[in-house]
Amino acid sequence: MKIFIDTGEINEIRELASWGILDGVTTNPSLAAKSGKPFRQLLDEILAIVDGPISAEVTALKADEMVKEGETYAKIHKNIVIKVPLIIEGLKALKILTEKGYKTNCTLCFSPSQALLAAKAGATYISPFVGRLDDISTDGMQLIRDIRQIYDNYGIKTQILTASARSPMHFVEAAKIGSDVITAPYSVLKQLVQHPLTDLGLAKFLSDWEKAKK
Ligand code: E4P
């Protein structure tokens, strides 16, 4: 499973890249706004750190405008993936962008039917938002299972990018189901490494080592 970080914070991206586990980055308009940087500058800074897919989301709502906006991002660098919302105009834009040879990430997916339509329109990645479904008392990971089954039934190549991940359990479940990618905030990715028995074990090894030296 590929690991993307979901953030607009450059320090977090730099730190994660230094761990050797980072495959790509997702951003969205909220995260970009939070960074306080002009979007072009933010993308340039991310591109300088990560050699992998970097999602840049369009804010236009009409297909032709989405295509135009998406192309301005994609022309910055081959690693830019144009992120398009899962609405009818978004499907139209996905079709055009795919025909033009661009990589796309269809975002704000909350149902298996949406995921099938996005794949048919040509999406490179589908982003089902598991955490936001959990927030409304719906099993977010069941959506990943359903999409995996549907895509596998038809040999669909669109990659499942589990998004809105909020916990290590989302990460582990996504990997067990066979999600192609997960994107998660820095806080969640850091939690994946930590285990109290690792810390206790290391402290014991080091204290035994110190005692033996005396
Ligand atoms: C995905 O691409 C989105 O940026 C993101 O995962 C949304 O997560 P949230 O629901 O925690 O805002």
Side-chain angles (χ1 to χ4, degrees):
M1 183 167 71
K2 289 178 214 142
I3 301 174
F4 293 177
I5 186 169
D6 193 36
T7 189
E9 298 304 317
I10 291 298
N11 289 343
E12 293 178 352
I13 296 169
R14 193 174 289 117
E15 171 66 11
L16 252 293
S18 76
W19 297 0
I21 57 126
L22 191 62
D23 298 300
V25 180
T26 51
T27 63
N28 64 38
S30 304
L31 294 171
K34 198 174 154 208
S35 79
K37 294 178 178 170
F39 194 41
R40 174 64 203 256
Q41 181 191 332
L42 179 64
L43 291 177
D44 285 340
E45 290 183 22
I46 297 172
L47 284 161
I49 300 169
V50 180
D51 183 17
I54 295 159
S55 289
E57 186 162 341
V58 301
T59 52
L61 292 174
K62 290 283 173 201
D64 55 344
E65 291 164 20
M66 288 180 186
V67 170
K68 206 167 147 200
E69 187 183 348
E71 282 188 301
T72 63
Y73 300 144
K75 281 179 178 150
I76 297 171
H77 195 279
K78 64 176 173 45
N79 284 346
I80 298 283
V81 175
I82 305 166
K83 204 171 177 189
V84 172
L86 217 166
I87 56 177
I88 291 172
E89 291 297 309
L91 293 177
K92 295 179 194 171
L94 283 176
K95 178 180 185 295
I96 299 166
L97 289 166
T98 303
E99 284 168 357
K100 287 178 174 242
Y102 295 113
K103 292 204 170 61
T104 55
N105 174 359
C106 190
T107 189
L108 291 167
C109 172
F110 293 95
S111 75
S113 56
Q114 286 181 317
L116 180 53
L117 296 184
K120 288 188 75 84
T124 314
Y125 299 94
I126 183 72
S127 286
F129 277 35
V130 296
R132 293 193 194 186
L133 281 170
D134 289 353
D135 289 346
I136 57 160
S137 304
T138 301
D139 181 0
M141 293 314 297
Q142 186 55 44
L143 176 57
I144 305 300
R145 283 183 209 100
D146 290 344
I147 299 172
R148 182 73 282 158
Q149 182 183 349
I150 290 167
Y151 281 8
D152 288 350
N153 282 349
Y154 300 102
I156 289 170
K157 296 290 174 233
T158 299
Q159 294 184 51
I160 302 173
L161 196 173
T162 299
S164 186
R166 305 266 175 81
S167 73
M169 284 310 292
H170 282 149
F171 182 93
V172 173
E173 274 300 302
K176 283 163 73 174
I177 294 164
S179 180
D180 301 284
V181 191
I182 190 164
T183 191
Y186 177 76
S187 55
V188 171
L189 296 173
K190 196 172 172 194
Q191 278 179 295
L192 297 175
V193 191
Q194 294 164 334
H195 198 291
L197 290 180
T198 303
D199 297 340
L200 279 173
L202 181 59
K204 178 82 169 65
F205 284 156
L206 295 181
S207 73
D208 289 347
W209 180 257
E210 282 306 312
K211 275 183 233 152
K213 281 204 300 192
K214 281 170 194 165

